[in-house]
Amino acid sequence: MAVLIGTRSGFELVEGAGAPDVSPGRGLRPGPRVLRRFETGDSRGPGSRAPQVSAPATADVVECGPERPSRGSVLRLAAMCLLAVVAAVCVGLLYLYASGATSVPERTGVAYVQVGETLRDVAVRNAPSSDPDALVERIRDLNRMADSHVVPGQQLIVPQAVIETAP
């Protein structure tokens, strides 16, 4: 007779004369417990395991070079990089729009061209935080100018930035 005993570290099969000495049930707490008694010739027990079948010998494994990434993973990586670039451009444009650096002020005023100034200098003097090229175009539109040529003392309508004064 054989006894299958469950212990804390696993299972143990006890065969021979000592097996009947182990009683099932409550007498074994907290130690090992008898899980099942069976005859060694019993078809349901561990003695009736199927014979092991050996597989035919296989050829030696040939080591290959590193696996190349599939075409799908390369395309996925390229798409993710493109998405990151588009997101960065959108965030940059949103920042420029929110900061007002690209906008031309709506408020206008009169400015006089000083000696040695160009139209760009007048634009920067009146709205320093705005885009100078956009300001020059706006000044040319407001004054109906064909080119950017100005003379000292000339009166121009120019966009003016709001200047905040300290209290």
Side-chain angles (χ1 to χ4, degrees), residues 109-125:
V110 176
Y112 293 94
V113 179
Q114 304 295 320
V115 176
E117 276 189 322
T118 63
L119 191 58
R120 185 178 180 94
D121 296 333
V122 174
V124 170
R125 180 169 42 107

Side-chain angles (χ1 to χ4, degrees), residues 56-69:
T58 58
D60 292 335
V61 177
V62 178
E63 292 193 31
C64 299
E67 184 177 327
R68 293 189 317 184

Side-chain angles (χ1 to χ4, degrees), residues 2-6 19 21-25 28 31-37:
V3 177
L4 183 62
I5 299 175
D21 298 335
V22 179
S23 63
L28 298 176
R33 293 198 171 97
V34 175
L35 301 178
R36 183 171 175 211
R37 288 179 190 233

Side-chain angles (χ1 to χ4, degrees), residues 106-112 126 142-143 155-161:
E106 295 292 323
R107 182 176 161 213
T108 59
V110 176
Y112 293 94
N126 287 287
L142 288 171
N143 295 287
Q155 179 181 350
L156 296 172
I157 300 172
V158 296
Q160 290 184 335

